[in-house]
């Protein structure tokens, strides 16, 4: 698509992803309108200031809960493309505020679609869905049995094990109020295509990170603390569940994918967006420490008894295929993925032996979730076929966040 002089409406243009996308489209010559909640105008303007687009973006005040403000935004922007990114995007927060999450994400998405339908706006609509919709993905017979033994329902039943990498036809087993809200948005988009002919496309993006990522997400929590350690502003890293494995991309790759979907995504279809890698939260910490200058020799659990888990050279990398996919993973990733290693709250934390002495990673029980997706690994072949690419390695993603928090004014 030639973006020059196109009218683009981005809901949540002042958010982490929205501001990256807005900047890029402004550079390509689009007229970019941002649909922004009045209360977020000041609270989130740092994203726009950091990217130098505060005065270039055309701000439209409104609320997804107020359909008349959406209708008015459509009148003013006359969009060729709508990127619907605005959302309550924290899984953790959604457990505390499930109704607000449904209001903003489910009802808000329904309001946008209704406004487009009633106003008969002829725009391509790209929706920020989420890999969270896949939820409980079965990675091994052992994990399946453990889930059953712990009383979890697994519906639909797996047709094959492992269900990895995750393609668009994987079963949806959402595990949080946030995930349910994204299933709703995803199906609303599909339904407005089938029922009313709207040109909707769903992106199911896996985790995407980078400089400016919100402080409630784990990669910012980690890299902020690493830089505080580096600058002697703290003496430990505090964290929740670090067994979780996520498919982490750089936000820049994902916003390229959004543009590919706007140009070439088929109406009514869903497309995964991810890197086809999966790495643990623990690896994110250890690789981050290494990039920040520590050489890591060994890790062991803080609880020092006969159950102490000791792993030498935990960041040693291999790229042997796992689940039929070849990607870089650390020794601890390998062990977690093969069910040979799991940290529990009882372990209390991890002592990291480095060339510069010991470091402490402490578990905070309050950061563990009521239910947790153990593993996400994207099959991105469908979107790659229409031209999307992953350019950034995991190390690039981590480095970008470390550079951001190396600046004192960004540390929290
Ligand atoms: C694709 C999906 O991606 C994101 O959802 P998320 O995966 O929940 O992201 P997160 O960074 O909050 O957690 C990642 C993992 O990290 C674990 N974890 C450990 N310790 C802490 C901790 O202290 N804080 C947090 N937040 N997580 C922690 C946590 O338990 C989880 O396993 C959103 O963009 C969402 O909008 C979206 O669509």
């Amino acid at each position: 698509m030639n973006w020059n002089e196109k009218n683009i409406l981005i809901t949540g243009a002042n958010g982490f992803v929205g501001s990256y996308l807005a900047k890029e489209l402004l550079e390509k010559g689009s007229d970019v309108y941002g649909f922004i909640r009045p209360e977020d105008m000041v609270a989130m303007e740092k994203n726009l200031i950091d990217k130098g687009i505060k005065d270039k973006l055309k701000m439209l005040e409104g609320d997804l809960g107020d359909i008349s403000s959406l209708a008015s935004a459509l009148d003013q922007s006359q969009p060729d493309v709508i990127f619907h990114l605005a959302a309550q995007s924290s899984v953790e927060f959604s457990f505390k505020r499930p109704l607000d999450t449904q209001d903003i994400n489910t009802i808000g998405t329904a309001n946008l679609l209704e406004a487009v339908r009633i106003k008969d706006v002829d725009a391509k609509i790209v929706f920020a869905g989420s890999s969270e919709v896949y939820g409980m993905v079965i990675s091994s017979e052992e994990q399946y049995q453990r889930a059953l033994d712990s009383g979890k329902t697994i519906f639909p039943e797996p047709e094959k094990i492992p269900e990895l990498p995750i393609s668009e036809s994987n079963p949806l087993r959402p595990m949080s109020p946030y995930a349910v809200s994204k299933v709703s948005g995803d199906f609303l988009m599909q339904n407005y295509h089938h029922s009313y002919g709207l040109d909707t496309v769903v992106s199911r993006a896996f985790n995407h990170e980078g400089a400016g990522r919100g402080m409630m997400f784990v990669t910012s929590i980690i890299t902020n603390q690493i830089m505080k350690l580096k600058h002697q502003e703290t003496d430990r890293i505090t964290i929740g569940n670090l067994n979780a494995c996520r498919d982490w991309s750089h936000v820049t790759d994902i916003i390229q994918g959004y543009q590919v979907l706007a140009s070439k995504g088929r109406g009514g279809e869903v497309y995964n967006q991810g890197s086809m890698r999966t790495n643990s939260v623990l690896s994110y910490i250890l690789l981050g420490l290494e990039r920040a200058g520590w050489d890591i020799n060994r890790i062991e659990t803080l609880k020092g008894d006969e159950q102490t888990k000791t792993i030498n050279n935990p960041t040693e990398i291999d790229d042997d295929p796992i689940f039929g996919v070849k990607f870089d993973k650390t020794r601890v990733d390998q062990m977690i993925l093969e069910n040979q290693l799991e940290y529990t709250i009882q372990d209390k934390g991890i002592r990291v032996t480095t060339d510069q002495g010991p470091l402490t990673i402490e578990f905070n029980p309050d950061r563990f979730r009521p239910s947790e997706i153990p593993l996400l690994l994207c099959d991105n072949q469908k979107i790659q076929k229409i031209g999307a690419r992953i350019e950034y390695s995991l190390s690039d993603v981590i480095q970008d966040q470390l550079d951001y928090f190396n600046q004192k004014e960004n540390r929290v």
Side-chain angles (χ1 to χ4, degrees):
M1 183 180 297
N2 178 4
W3 294 93
N4 194 31
E5 292 184 8
K6 287 276 185 318
N7 288 343
I8 310 298
L9 177 63
I10 305 178
T11 69
N14 53 345
F16 167 59
V17 184
S19 57
Y20 273 89
L21 182 60
K23 177 176 165 40
E24 167 123 358
L25 294 179
L26 283 165
E27 282 166 4
K28 288 181 173 171
S30 302
D31 280 324
V32 184
Y33 295 82
F35 183 78
I36 293 169
R37 271 197 312 193
E39 62 261 44
D40 294 338
M41 282 280 186
V42 175
M44 293 174 74
E45 72 178 356
K46 182 172 179 353
N47 285 326
L48 304 180
I49 294 168
D50 281 357
K51 295 184 185 67
I53 57 170
K54 186 167 174 269
D55 301 325
K56 297 179 185 138
L57 189 68
K58 296 178 179 151
M59 313 266 198
L60 301 172
E61 282 196 17
D63 193 308
L64 291 174
D66 170 14
I67 195 168
S68 64
S69 70
L70 283 160
S72 150
L74 293 172
D75 282 343
Q76 289 179 66
S77 58
Q78 298 288 312
D80 298 298
V81 181
I82 301 170
F83 292 99
H84 178 35
L85 309 185
Q88 190 302 94
S89 63
S90 163
V91 175
E92 193 170 309
F93 186 74
S94 81
F95 287 108
K96 294 173 191 134
R97 302 289 284 269
L99 294 182
D100 288 342
T101 302
Q102 301 308 332
D103 269 353
I104 297 168
N105 296 3
T106 305
I107 305 299
T109 300
N111 281 339
L112 172 66
L113 288 166
E114 263 305 272
V116 171
R117 180 176 80 88
I118 292 164
K119 291 246 148 217
D120 202 15
V121 174
D122 182 18
K124 182 109 182 194
I125 307 170
V126 180
F127 173 61
S130 169
S131 59
E132 285 289 305
V133 298
Y134 298 114
M136 173 60 81
V137 178
I138 305 300
S139 57
S140 65
E141 292 287 352
E142 193 186 332
Q143 179 225 355
Y144 177 57
Q145 205 47 56
R146 267 196 290 151
L148 290 181
D149 292 347
S150 68
K152 294 220 166 71
T153 35
I154 299 175
F155 179 80
E157 283 288 316
E159 286 180 5
K160 54 156 197 179
I161 296 178
E163 300 177 300
L164 292 159
I166 302 166
S167 77
E168 290 80 358
S169 55
N170 263 58
L172 306 186
R173 304 189 191 105
M175 291 181 75
S176 65
Y178 169 82
V180 171
S181 76
K182 285 291 171 182
V183 171
S184 307
D186 190 310
F187 277 75
L188 281 164
M189 288 283 154
Q190 295 181 54
N191 182 251
Y192 268 70
H193 175 76
H194 297 300
S195 298
Y196 307 112
L198 266 56
D199 194 5
T200 58
V201 183
V202 175
S203 148
R204 288 183 185 159
F206 289 60
N207 298 53
H208 39 296
E209 319 295 321
R213 175 69 152 142
M215 284 311 303
M216 64 281 218
F217 299 103
V218 78
T219 59
S220 285
I221 290 171
I222 292 169
T223 45
N224 177 50
Q225 292 186 86
I226 290 176
M227 278 302 155
K228 287 176 81 167
L229 270 177
K230 176 109 186 146
H231 294 279
Q232 280 106 41
E233 294 161 4
T234 187
D235 65 349
R236 64 195 52 217
I237 290 174
T238 308
I239 203 75
N241 172 23
L242 41 63
N243 306 296
C245 291
R246 292 289 181 270
D247 183 314
W248 274 303
S249 300
H250 194 275
V251 60
T252 304
D253 283 334
I254 300 299
I255 62 148
Q256 298 305 332
Y258 279 133
Q259 293 166 68
V260 169
L261 291 182
S263 308
K264 299 197 193 123
R266 277 192 57 190
E269 295 252 348
V270 303
Y271 294 82
N272 280 350
Q273 285 217 68
S275 66
M276 279 189 106
R277 307 179 288 248
T278 191
N279 299 92
S280 60
V281 172
L282 175 55
S283 277
Y284 215 98
I285 300 175
L286 299 177
L287 294 172
L289 286 168
E290 288 208 325
R291 294 199 76 80
W294 284 275
D295 273 345
I296 296 172
N297 304 321
R298 189 170 72 249
I299 56 171
E300 55 206 323
T301 41
L302 280 184
K303 191 178 170 209
D305 57 15
E306 69 284 353
Q307 281 151 26
T308 305
K309 299 162 193 160
T310 303
I311 296 153
N312 294 315
N313 303 320
T315 53
E316 203 166 79
I317 301 277
D318 79 52
D319 69 350
D320 293 347
I322 188 159
F323 310 121
V325 187
K326 206 167 145 63
F327 60 93
D328 281 355
K329 72 193 94 51
T330 64
R331 173 165 292 173
V332 288
D333 289 337
Q334 177 99 27
M335 294 177 75
I336 291 171
L337 292 169
E338 289 176 349
N339 297 314
Q340 292 165 18
L341 179 65
E342 184 179 9
Y343 291 93
T344 63
I345 300 179
Q346 285 69 39
D347 290 320
K348 304 223 178 303
I350 294 174
R351 181 176 302 104
V352 184
T353 306
T354 79
D355 59 334
Q356 297 161 51
L359 297 172
T360 302
I361 301 171
E362 193 175 64
F363 298 162
N364 177 346
D366 297 338
R367 306 252 190 105
F368 285 71
R369 296 177 181 178
S371 59
E372 172 80 292
I373 302 178
L375 164 60
L376 291 171
L377 170 63
C378 175
D379 180 339
N380 63 15
Q381 292 179 74
K382 184 173 175 185
I383 194 166
Q384 296 249 334
K385 280 193 191 120
I386 57 167
R389 293 286 170 268
I390 292 293
E391 305 284 353
Y392 287 75
S393 68
L394 180 66
S395 300
D396 297 334
V397 184
I398 295 173
Q399 191 63 54
D400 190 30
Q401 291 186 282
L402 290 173
D403 291 344
Y404 179 80
F405 288 116
N406 197 27
Q407 296 169 44
K408 189 167 178 29
E409 66 274 19
N410 292 331
R411 288 199 292 280
V412 179

